Amino acid sequence: MNTHSGYGDRPSRGDDSVSALRAEVTLHHTATVLHVHGEIDACNLPQWRAVLDEAIRAEGDSGHLVIDIRDVTFMSCRAILDMATRAQRSAVRMSVVDPVPSSVTNRIIVAAGLTEWLPVYPSRTEAMAAGRPLPHTTRTIPPASWTTR
């Protein structure tokens, strides 16, 4: 098992009450785990994207990236879409660990129809064991530059 830590030590806002975005990548035989801490919002979205991209690049031979968000205190809709976009475009299967079935993140993933690319599991063990094949759907997730009125 290899671990890389220290992604992002910058607070997402100027006050002390806000948790910094931090992440560790751990390589396991069955999956690579990205354990995320803090908030993921508009202030640190570029940092979040870099963390995701680095975790995808660090992914080993398993072809499965588990994104553990148990210690995330806030995740924006755009951050969720960034995960889904990368899951759709990469050859790496992605799973999300969120132990609260009624969490906002889990409800957004389900309501937006993103569970095909981002299945959510209540534990890291279940997510790591879920190495299922990639979907064969060609549905496209809109880029961040698209706006709705």
Side-chain angles (χ1 to χ4, degrees):
M1 173 171 75
N2 297 324
T3 302
H4 184 275
S5 147
Y7 293 105
D9 296 323
R10 165 180 82 74
S12 60
R13 293 191 192 112
D15 62 12
D16 291 336
S17 66
V18 176
S19 177
L21 170 60
R22 294 177 292 110
E24 302 91 36
V25 173
T26 307
L27 302 176
H28 297 269
H29 178 67
T30 58
T32 296
V33 176
L34 171 63
H35 190 176
V36 188
H37 310 264
E39 293 187 353
I40 309 168
D41 58 19
C43 294
N44 59 19
L45 205 51
Q47 180 184 359
W48 169 239
R49 290 172 178 152
V51 165
L52 283 173
D53 292 340
E54 180 63 28
I56 290 168
R57 280 192 298 275
E59 201 292 311
D61 296 330
S62 70
H64 187 198
L65 177 62
V66 174
I67 303 168
D68 188 340
I69 61 168
R70 289 177 296 169
D71 295 322
V72 171
T73 55
F74 175 82
M75 180 178 264
S76 70
C77 290
R78 184 68 246 169
I80 295 167
L81 285 175
D82 284 342
M83 280 193 302
T85 299
R86 280 157 176 78
Q88 184 183 31
R89 293 180 183 163
S90 107
V92 175
R93 290 181 314 277
M94 292 187 197
S95 300
V96 177
V97 176
D98 187 351
V100 183
S102 61
S103 75
V104 172
T105 301
N106 196 347
R107 291 188 327 219
I108 290 170
I109 289 171
V110 170
L114 301 175
T115 56
E116 190 171 358
W117 295 283
L118 296 174
V120 180
Y121 297 92
S123 74
R124 186 182 287 188
T125 303
E126 289 178 68
M128 289 176 69
R132 59 189 177 95
L134 289 171
H136 296 288
T137 311
T138 58
R139 182 173 165 210
T140 303
I141 299 168
S145 60
W146 290 10
T147 59
T148 58
R149 295 178 192 226

